[in-house]
């Protein structure tokens, strides 16, 4: 039984797992995306599942995985669980195998870095000779992780107690760029070049993560050179000519100040174009709260903006981009006709094109702010520095992408269409990507 967990609309990885397992003789019950835990358990019980596979792209949605493991434990179903996705790693799997951090889930929780490892694990679980050793090794790894995690927790508690001693390591004396306008604005599709969008794609991610290239050396080089490259160029031209990819973007600039771990966004009506000095009454519109690292540099996103105790105001750029709903519709039609491989290629290109568009539009914002080509970073909700997906609703309040480009939010704060991304763009020259351990 296979599912993308509740709250997560990303299913390309799950679909690849389905294709590979089906092609290797396994019967796969694919429940789709945004699947509640109880639905997964009910289906597994109904069909007498050999294993359950769970997929999640984001940190926030991956929390459904240990919940599912806990419910399976309480139901005493004895079904192994395979987990995978960009937001998790082997230690996440070891943690998920410990019910409430203590009791080991005896059937096992197995992290799979990709669909091929998933196949290897299922093969081992269905082989009476291989299964005992695999389950025992996973058990021992979980117990060892528990010991290591306890030591880390002790250090984190100590760091938290000394939070007042954190010294902000980010320079606050940075010239703030003046935005060309305040508020939200739509970028016309005619002003977004397809070539620029495609140039922003990460081809390594497309070929290896989305299209499933595996291994290294001449074999994979030949696959990419002789199959994937011509296929990509053909699909790109087709997407433009037939219109199943259409670049859409809405973005804006908003006056902000930081207060500790908070970033306060003000009504831009108090600011005139090109000015960072308010001329009217200030009104707080939304407030973002970001986690701070409990170790290392003690970083927090709010540190990259001018503090409220000073008289200076800063600027936050936001964007939502999408390649439209036609990618989802075409992929669904291909799946319905049983053309799973073609659906995988179309979906992968759509998701990669959306990321390429995000990169192109980020560069567009840099130009408008007169920033160097590499200055600043783009942060998306659900990842480590800003993990709260509910903050998507605040971004939507500011940009209104539903009206501007037809991108909406699900009840679990996921973007629809799936080939869409949102981001905060931080202009600070020291901005960096970093991990905040939960």
């Amino acid at each position: 039984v296979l599912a993308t967990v509740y709250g997560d609309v990303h299913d390309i990885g799950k679909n690849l797992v389905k294709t590979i397992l089906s092609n290797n003789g396994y019967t796969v019950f694919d429940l789709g995306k945004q699947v509640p835990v109880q639905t997964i358990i009910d289906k597994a019980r109904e069909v007498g599942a050999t294993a359950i596979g769970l997929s999640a792209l984001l940190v926030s949605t991956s929390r459904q995985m240990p919940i599912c493991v806990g419910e399976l434990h309480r139901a005493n179903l004895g079904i192994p669980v395979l987990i995978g996705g960009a937001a998790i790693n082997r230690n996440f799997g070891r943690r998920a195998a410990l019910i409430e951090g203590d009791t080991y889930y005896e059937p096992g929780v197995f992290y799979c870095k990709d669909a091929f490892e998933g196949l290897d694990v299922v093969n081992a679980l269905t082989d009476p000779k291989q299964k005992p050793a695999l389950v025992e090794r996973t058990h021992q790894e979980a117990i060892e992780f528990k010991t290591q995690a306890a030591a880390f927790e002790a250090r984190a508690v100590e760091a938290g107690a000394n939070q007042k001693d954190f010294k902000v390591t980010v320079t606050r004396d940075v010239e703030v760029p003046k935005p060309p306008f305040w508020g939200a604005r739509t970028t016309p599709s005619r002003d977004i070049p397809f070539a620029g969008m495609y140039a922003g794609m990460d081809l390594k991610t497309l070929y290896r993560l989305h299209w499933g290239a595996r291994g290294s050396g001449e074999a994979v080089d030949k696959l990419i050179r002789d199959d994937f490259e011509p296929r990509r160029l053909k699909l790109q031209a087709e997407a433009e000519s037939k219109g199943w990819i259409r670049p859409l973007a809405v973005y804006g600039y908003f006056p902000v100040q930081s207060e500790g771990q908070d970033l306060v966004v003000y009504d831009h009506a108090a600011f005139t174009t090109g000015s960072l000095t308010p001329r009217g009454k200030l009104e707080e519109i939304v407030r973002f709260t970001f986690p701070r690292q409990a170790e290392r540099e003690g970083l927090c996103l709010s540190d990259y903006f001018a503090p409220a105790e000073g008289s200076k105001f800063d600027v936050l750029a936001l964007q939502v981009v999408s390649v439209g709903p036609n990618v989802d519709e075409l992929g669904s039609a291909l799946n319905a006709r049983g053309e799973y491989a073609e659906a995988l290629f179309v979906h992968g290109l759509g998701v990669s094109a959306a990321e390429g568009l995000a990169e192109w539009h980020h560069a567009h914002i840099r130009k408008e702010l007169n920033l160097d080509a590499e200055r600043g970073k783009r942060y998306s909700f659900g990842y480590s520095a800003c993990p709260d997906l509910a903050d998507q609703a605040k971004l939507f309040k500011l940009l209104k992408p539903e009206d501007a480009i037809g991108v909406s939010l699900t009840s679990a704060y996921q973007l629809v269409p799936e080939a869409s991304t949102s981001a905060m763009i931080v202009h600070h020259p020291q901005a960096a990507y970093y991990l905040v351990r939960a």
Side-chain angles (χ1 to χ4, degrees):
V1 170
L2 201 59
T4 298
V5 298
Y6 181 74
D8 205 313
V9 301
H10 303 87
D11 65 355
I12 187 168
K14 172 186 66 64
N15 291 343
L16 181 59
V17 172
K18 174 185 177 181
T19 300
I20 290 174
L21 289 176
S22 297
N23 289 345
N24 281 271
Y26 292 100
T27 301
V28 179
F29 297 89
D30 183 2
L31 303 184
K33 51 194 177 185
Q34 292 211 84
V35 185
V37 165
Q38 195 57 51
T39 301
I40 297 168
I41 293 174
D42 289 346
K43 189 65 177 180
R45 182 186 284 113
E46 173 194 335
V47 302
T50 303
I52 292 172
L54 303 177
S55 174
L57 181 72
L58 301 172
V59 172
S60 54
T61 55
S62 66
R63 294 167 186 156
Q64 290 287 311
M65 293 174 171
I67 292 174
C68 186
V69 173
E71 290 303 314
L72 286 166
H73 175 73
R74 281 181 275 278
N76 197 31
L77 289 182
I79 303 174
V81 178
L82 284 67
I83 61 174
I88 63 175
N89 55 29
R90 294 200 188 280
N91 280 342
F92 182 95
R94 291 159 183 159
R95 185 185 298 113
L98 297 167
I99 311 299
E100 297 179 353
D102 186 35
T103 304
Y104 179 71
Y105 181 64
E106 292 297 337
V109 177
F110 306 90
Y111 167 75
C112 305
K113 66 180 179 182
D114 56 31
F116 300 100
E117 186 174 352
L119 174 63
D120 292 342
V121 170
V122 174
N123 285 340
L125 289 173
T126 55
D127 183 343
K129 294 181 179 179
Q130 295 186 59
K131 181 177 178 179
L134 174 63
V135 173
E136 176 59 25
R137 185 179 74 245
T138 306
H139 186 178
Q140 289 302 317
E141 289 174 351
I143 298 305
E144 290 172 7
F145 171 77
K146 178 183 176 182
T147 302
Q148 295 167 0
F152 172 79
E153 181 65 24
R155 293 197 304 272
V157 169
E158 182 180 356
N162 296 327
Q163 192 84 7
K164 64 181 183 300
D165 296 329
F166 269 131
K167 295 180 180 179
V168 174
T169 56
V170 175
T171 300
R172 294 298 182 98
D173 187 20
V174 171
E175 183 178 357
V176 178
K178 293 181 179 180
F181 62 91
W182 291 110
R185 178 176 293 180
T186 301
T187 303
S189 293
R190 64 178 180 273
D191 293 344
I192 303 175
F194 271 76
M197 174 178 65
Y198 290 145
M201 294 194 306
D202 182 342
L203 296 184
K204 182 177 180 181
T205 298
L206 171 62
Y207 294 152
R208 293 189 173 272
L209 177 63
H210 299 316
W211 285 4
R214 188 186 188 194
S216 59
E218 177 57 27
V220 73
D221 291 344
K222 186 176 187 302
L223 172 67
I224 292 172
R225 181 180 63 249
D226 297 346
D227 184 351
F228 284 2
E229 276 287 339
R231 186 186 299 272
R232 173 179 66 85
L233 296 173
K234 177 179 176 291
L235 284 176
Q236 287 178 184
E238 180 185 295
E240 183 173 359
S241 64
K242 295 187 177 180
W244 51 265
I245 280 182
R246 182 184 172 214
L248 304 164
V250 60
Y251 72 113
Y253 301 103
F254 300 88
V256 296
Q257 287 180 320
S258 62
E259 289 185 354
Q261 292 174 221
D262 292 356
L263 184 64
V264 182
V265 183
Y266 298 105
D267 186 351
H268 61 83
F271 295 78
T272 58
T273 300
S275 173
L276 290 164
T277 303
R279 296 196 175 185
K281 182 181 178 181
L282 278 179
E283 180 182 352
E284 179 180 323
I285 301 299
V286 299
R287 179 182 291 251
F288 297 102
T289 301
F290 305 117
R292 184 178 295 282
Q293 288 179 308
E295 52 182 18
R296 296 177 64 85
E297 298 90 350
L299 291 173
C300 178
L301 276 187
S302 60
D303 296 343
Y304 294 122
F305 296 91
E309 58 263 26
S311 58
K312 191 159 86 172
F313 288 82
D314 217 315
V315 58
L316 171 69
L318 302 170
Q319 70 177 32
V320 175
V321 305
S322 176
V323 296
N326 293 341
V327 173
D328 290 352
E329 293 170 5
L330 177 57
S332 296
L334 290 168
N335 275 317
R337 296 199 297 265
E339 299 179 42
Y340 302 119
E342 189 65 17
L344 177 74
F345 291 127
V346 165
H347 190 284
L349 180 66
V351 172
S352 292
E355 292 293 340
L357 176 56
E359 182 65 24
W360 179 89
H361 208 276
H362 185 183
H364 174 72
I365 288 174
R366 282 190 176 112
K367 290 177 183 176
E368 288 197 339
L369 294 177
N370 293 313
L371 301 178
D372 294 339
E374 298 300 321
R375 177 172 164 179
K377 290 290 184 286
R378 188 171 72 249
Y379 301 85
S380 292
F381 295 114
Y383 292 96
S384 187
C386 44
D388 192 352
L389 266 186
D391 282 343
Q392 296 271 42
K394 299 174 184 178
L395 180 149
F396 267 58
K397 180 179 180 180
L398 295 168
L399 291 183
K400 297 181 172 55
E402 309 99 313
D403 301 328
I405 59 173
V407 175
S408 59
L409 274 182
T410 69
S411 59
Y413 307 107
Q414 293 282 307
L415 301 177
V416 177
E418 183 180 343
S420 308
T421 73
S422 65
M424 299 179 297
I425 293 172
V426 178
H427 69 78
H428 198 289
Q430 288 180 276
Y433 297 123
Y434 55 89
L435 179 67
V436 180
R437 296 185 63 165

